[in-house]
């Protein structure tokens, strides 16, 4: 039946600020940035891997009413929407130091886990992010 997951989505409150964070600080690349009239379709991915894109979506029409969108935006701000991204890295500690020098704020420093080393951060909108260095 299915052979891939091509897109996933997280809510952001400001797509330009999201670009600055996800591309400028985290080093992801823009795949698509198109104004559709009713919404801006903005996707990013790990450089060289366009087969797996993340839609950085601002809550609003046409997917939901403005009243519902306002409620969703409040929940995003509180970190209560459950948006998660887990990224892979070959060197968790080095990536942590690089992102720290770029002003990224972390919720957890690199920590040894049974599956490897990982750490946690939040984007400017409250979405939880982790990156993991798997055990060899």
């Amino acid at each position: 039946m299915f052979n891939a997951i091509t897109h996933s989505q997280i809510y952001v409150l400001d797509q330009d600020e999201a670009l600055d964070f996800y591309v400028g600080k985290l080093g992801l690349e823009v795949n698509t940035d198109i104004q559709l009239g009713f919404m801006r379709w903005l996707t990013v991915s790990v450089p060289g891997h366009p087969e797996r894109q993340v839609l950085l979506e601002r809550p609003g029409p046409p997917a939901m009413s403005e009243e519902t969108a306002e409620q969703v935006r409040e929940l995003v701000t509180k970190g209560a929407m459950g948006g998660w991204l887990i990224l892979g890295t070959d060197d968790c500690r080095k990536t942590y130091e690089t992102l720290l020098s770029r002003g990224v704020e972390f919720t957890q420093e690199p920590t040894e886990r049974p599956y490897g080393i990982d750490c946690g951060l939040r984007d400017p909108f409250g979405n939880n992010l982790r990156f993991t260095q798997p055990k060899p």
Side-chain angles (χ1 to χ4, degrees):
M1 288 189 40
F2 301 110
N3 61 15
I5 295 174
T6 62
H7 292 73
S8 55
Q9 172 270 359
I10 60 171
Y11 286 126
V12 298
L13 302 179
D14 179 302
Q15 289 175 308
D16 290 326
E17 186 178 358
L19 272 179
D20 180 57
F21 181 78
Y22 284 95
V23 176
K25 290 187 178 181
L26 297 188
L28 300 182
E29 65 184 13
V30 175
N31 284 94
T32 309
D33 189 355
I34 299 173
Q35 187 53 254
L36 298 175
F38 56 88
M39 73 175 286
R40 180 180 178 187
W41 185 266
L42 175 61
T43 66
V44 295
S45 66
V46 171
H49 293 279
E51 67 278 3
R52 179 76 163 107
Q53 299 177 35
V54 178
L55 173 64
L56 303 174
E57 182 180 5
R58 185 175 188 282
M64 61 189 73
S65 70
E66 188 53 46
E67 179 183 344
T68 299
E70 183 57 37
Q71 293 169 345
V72 170
R73 288 191 287 268
E74 288 177 25
L75 291 171
V76 169
T77 300
K78 294 176 183 178
M81 281 302 297
W84 274 89
L85 288 178
I86 301 174
L87 303 166
T89 181
D90 292 330
D91 190 334
C92 188
R93 288 186 174 87
K94 181 178 178 183
T95 301
Y96 170 81
E97 292 298 331
T98 299
L99 296 181
L100 200 59
S101 73
R102 294 180 184 170
V104 173
E105 295 181 31
F106 285 83
T107 57
Q108 185 178 49
E109 295 181 2
T111 304
E112 297 280 340
R113 307 280 184 196
Y115 50 83
I117 304 168
D118 80 350
C119 64
L121 61 140
R122 284 196 177 176
D123 73 5
F125 317 104
N127 293 301
N128 293 298
L129 305 170
R130 296 193 78 77
F131 54 90
T132 300
Q133 174 187 336
K135 277 192 172 180

